[in-house]
């Protein structure tokens, strides 16, 4: 069994060799600009771990992992255009640097490149893997559409279960699919794949709740971001949707008023209302709840527990961030 | 053997049943808006003809044909965004009706849907078909990038061979790939596939030259479009690139000046210069040349000539349009 770090090293070595054609230079420079931003590579490593949970890692898993990482980067390029984001991971976004038309195309060509990696997968499992990949890809697009629609709504109009569905589609499904495809390659059966998929899905939701929590309540020194960045950007988060759900009519007005302010005063007033509504404790309990559901599904997978070690360590690593 | 019309009917019946999920309604309404614009379906029919050239049409060919038509519509949605086009086929474009972000996503989800059709193809030929599809998809993106770069250049800076390469990538490759994938499904060998691919590629170039010719010299009554639409839009066409290549320095200045005009006077002056430079005759000869190369490749395909009938008829139908 390999640790996250070991798998990351193996993956990076192959993924670095990822080569795009030389021309048209501008198109592929745009694609390369995205890839050099160096994400955490969580999704491709989940794919490798999904494979190794059931059997030794085979070449197919590296191809699938590369496809998944390219797919993820394709979504980032297009999401940044839709969200008009100037920066990502501290660097200028693809559309800011190369213009929107080239950024749209660079995303498109990266998605095609993702599918080209799937071509190398053993043909007996290729149809199933292509289906799992397409299914998740479609759901991620649906999640992004819902996210945009929510961003245009007042938070009081977003039911919590609709919000959770959106986050599940937009972020969790891809984590779940990464594990699922790894498991398919590892020869797992339907029941084990189901539990692994659900593990990934709930892990993703717990991670997203933590992300929102850190932005509001985390130590900005450790977290490396401005405290209350989401509040300043009027972003619809778990916390905000819950706050409006919990608030009485006077508190809703106070929230509305606080969101009309700006800067530190805005963050302070919103956070005070969050505290009064016990949003911090609620979020901690929700994260705990989803983590436990995830771990329950991991437990249900019928392989000896020593094989689950790397995934347990990953849960610990992802969900105990303070920064 | 089936005629274009018969195959079109068969294809439409299945393609109409193409169903997208209900929600998010806005995302799939955008996708459906594009599909109901009713293109000529040339590409999917080429795929079916590629199959029938070698063997009876099988279910795989219909799946591939649907994938190809969805891919084509995906490129139209994204191209219209990049080109800021308000209309297509006389209807308002997807991004004009639904906004750019939803249009980007509707294109993305349509591309994913295309790949979902490929999943149903027999697994023994799936890797080859996936590869051919990806290859063409990548080249089409490259063609669109080059087209955008050319649109930002002065026509005198575009060498004719670079222009032909761009048009080949942007439009011909997809026609060629449609035939190629049909032939792969029909069990054709490498040599026959090569000639069929080249047939489609050259047919595409001839068709594009005719398209440019019709816009400039066609009978607007019959053609149903404004004469000189490309000239009014300053579009880089075969004719324009050739005109600058043929012009002496005084004529180049005259062309530059004519392009600073507007309306009918602009069209008249540019067309007068085209005539003086014998662009009309040149274009007719070029169309003839590419048509002959295409037909030569069709001839080289080692099947009895009666099987080639529908493709010959298609050439006639596509290249003898006066409207």
């Amino acid at each position: 069994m390999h640790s996250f770090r070991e798998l990351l090293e193996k993956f990076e070595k192959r993924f670095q060799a990822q080569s795009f054609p030389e021309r048209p230079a501008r198109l592929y420079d745009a694609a390369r600009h995205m890839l050099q931003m160096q994400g955490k590579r969580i999704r491709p490593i989940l794919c490798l771990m999904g494979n190794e949970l059931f059997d030794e890692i085979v070449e197919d898993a590296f191809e699938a992992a590369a496809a998944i990482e390219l797919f993820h980067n394709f979504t980032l390029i297009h999401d940044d255009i839709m969200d008009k984001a100037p920066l990502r991971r501290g660097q200028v976004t693809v559309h800011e640097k190369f213009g929107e038309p080239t950024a749209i195309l660079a995303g498109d060509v990266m998605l095609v490149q993702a599918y080209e990696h799937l071509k190398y997968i053993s043909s007996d499992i290729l149809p199933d893997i292509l289906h799992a990949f397409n299914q998740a890809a479609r759901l991620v697009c649906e999640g992004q559409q819902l996210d945009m629609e929510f961003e245009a709504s007042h938070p009081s109009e977003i039911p919590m279960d609709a919000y959770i569905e959106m986050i599940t589609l937009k972020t969790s499904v891809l984590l779940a699919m990464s594990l699922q495809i790894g498991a398919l390659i590892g020869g797992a059966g339907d029941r084990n794949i189901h539990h692994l998929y659900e593990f990934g899905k709930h892990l993703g939701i717990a991670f997203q709740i933590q992300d929102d929590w850190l932005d509001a309540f985390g130590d900005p020194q450790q977290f490396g971001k401005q405290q209350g960045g989401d509040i300043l950007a009027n972003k619809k988060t778990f916390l905000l949707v819950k706050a409006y759900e919990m608030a009485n009519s006077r508190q809703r007005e106070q929230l509305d008023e606080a969101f009309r302010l700006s800067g530190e005063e805005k963050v302070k007033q919103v956070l005070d209302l969050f505290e009064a509504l016990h949003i911090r404790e609620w979020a901690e309990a929700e994260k705990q709840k989803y983590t436990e559901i995830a771990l329950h599904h991991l437990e249900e997978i019928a392989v000896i527990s020593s094989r689950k070690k790397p995934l347990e360590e990953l849960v610990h690593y992802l969900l105990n961030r303070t920064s």
Side-chain angles (χ1 to χ4, degrees), chain A:
Chain A
M1 304 298 288
H2 296 86
S3 69
F4 187 90
R5 197 178 301 259
E6 287 162 349
L7 292 174
L8 180 62
E9 203 176 300
K10 281 174 189 285
F11 174 74
E12 282 295 342
K13 215 178 276 170
R14 290 165 195 243
F15 194 67
Q16 295 295 336
Q18 178 76 28
S19 76
F20 288 110
E22 283 303 302
R23 296 185 50 241
R26 195 172 164 77
L27 176 62
Y28 293 114
D29 284 348
R32 276 186 288 266
H33 177 68
M34 183 70 229
L35 289 184
Q36 58 78 38
M37 285 191 199
Q38 292 288 352
K40 292 196 230 42
R41 312 294 195 209
I42 290 170
R43 293 156 195 83
I45 305 308
L46 282 175
C47 176
L48 299 176
M49 285 185 172
N51 177 170
E52 202 175 28
L53 184 59
F54 301 99
D55 207 339
E56 267 181 44
I57 299 179
V58 291
E59 196 51 37
D60 281 359
F62 284 99
E63 297 292 351
I68 289 165
E69 184 63 13
L70 287 166
F71 174 81
H72 177 56
N73 279 272
F74 141 75
T75 65
L76 298 181
I77 296 177
H78 280 192
D79 285 3
D80 284 343
I81 300 172
M82 296 179 219
D83 302 343
K84 302 197 179 303
L87 293 174
R88 164 163 309 269
R89 296 173 193 156
Q91 290 188 53
V92 61
T93 46
V94 177
H95 65 99
E96 279 285 321
K97 196 173 161 98
F98 295 90
E100 272 193 33
T102 296
I104 293 173
L105 268 180
D108 293 345
V109 94
M110 205 175 277
L111 178 56
V112 170
Q113 181 88 342
Y115 282 103
E116 184 63 1
H117 279 279
L118 295 185
K119 181 199 97 174
Y120 295 101
I121 288 177
S122 315
S123 61
D124 56 332
I125 52 171
L126 177 53
D128 282 349
I129 286 176
L130 192 52
H131 178 62
F133 193 92
N134 291 335
Q135 178 88 350
R138 181 171 62 74
L139 296 178
V140 170
C141 290
E142 294 179 2
Q144 170 67 7
Q145 176 69 26
L146 292 175
D147 192 17
M148 293 191 302
E149 291 176 12
F150 287 171
E151 285 303 323
S153 319
H154 189 275
S156 65
E157 293 164 357
I158 307 171
M160 180 52 80
D161 55 354
Y163 185 85
I164 291 174
E165 192 208 349
M166 180 278 284
I167 281 295
T168 303
L169 295 175
K170 186 171 165 162
T171 72
S172 296
V173 156
L174 191 54
L175 300 174
M177 174 270 266
S178 303
L179 289 160
Q180 173 195 16
I181 285 185
L184 281 165
I185 293 169
D190 288 349
R191 190 185 162 282
N192 282 339
I193 288 176
H194 162 73
H195 285 297
L196 190 58
Y197 188 92
E198 292 298 315
F199 162 74
K201 202 170 89 178
H202 290 89
L203 175 67
I205 299 172
F207 185 78
Q208 192 61 47
I209 295 172
Q210 170 180 269
D211 217 47
D212 289 354
W213 187 97
L214 283 170
D215 191 87
F217 307 114
D219 179 351
Q221 297 266 298
Q222 277 193 50
F223 193 43
K225 281 198 210 168
Q226 187 177 19
Q227 195 185 15
D230 289 344
I231 293 169
L232 289 168
N234 298 327
K235 206 174 155 238
K236 307 297 184 298
T237 63
F238 266 103
L239 313 180
L240 184 60
V241 170
K242 186 65 182 178
Y244 273 93
E245 185 186 301
M246 299 296 288
N248 58 34
S249 59
R250 202 176 55 82
Q251 286 167 319
R252 284 188 186 205
E253 273 168 38
Q254 287 174 326
L255 277 165
D256 284 345
E257 271 167 42
F259 271 97
R260 276 182 223 112
L261 303 171
S262 62
E264 278 180 37
E265 187 54 27
K266 177 182 186 177
V267 175
K268 191 189 164 303
Q269 289 210 16
V270 172
L271 287 181
D272 283 351
L273 282 156
F274 279 4
E275 294 288 6
L277 293 161
H278 305 290
I279 300 301
R280 178 205 286 263
E281 297 80 3
W282 170 82
E284 285 162 4
E286 284 291 291
K287 173 184 155 187
Q288 192 60 28
K289 183 182 93 183
Y290 283 101
T291 307
E292 277 165 21
I293 300 174
L295 290 172
H296 165 74
H297 282 291
L298 185 59
E299 201 141 304
E300 281 290 314
I301 297 168
V303 302
I304 49 167
S305 58
S306 63
R307 295 200 84 88
K308 299 178 185 173
K309 208 79 189 255
L311 283 170
E312 284 163 1
E313 282 170 11
L314 183 65
V315 172
H316 192 265
Y317 163 70
L318 288 177
L319 295 183
N320 287 286
R321 297 195 311 154
T322 48
S323 63

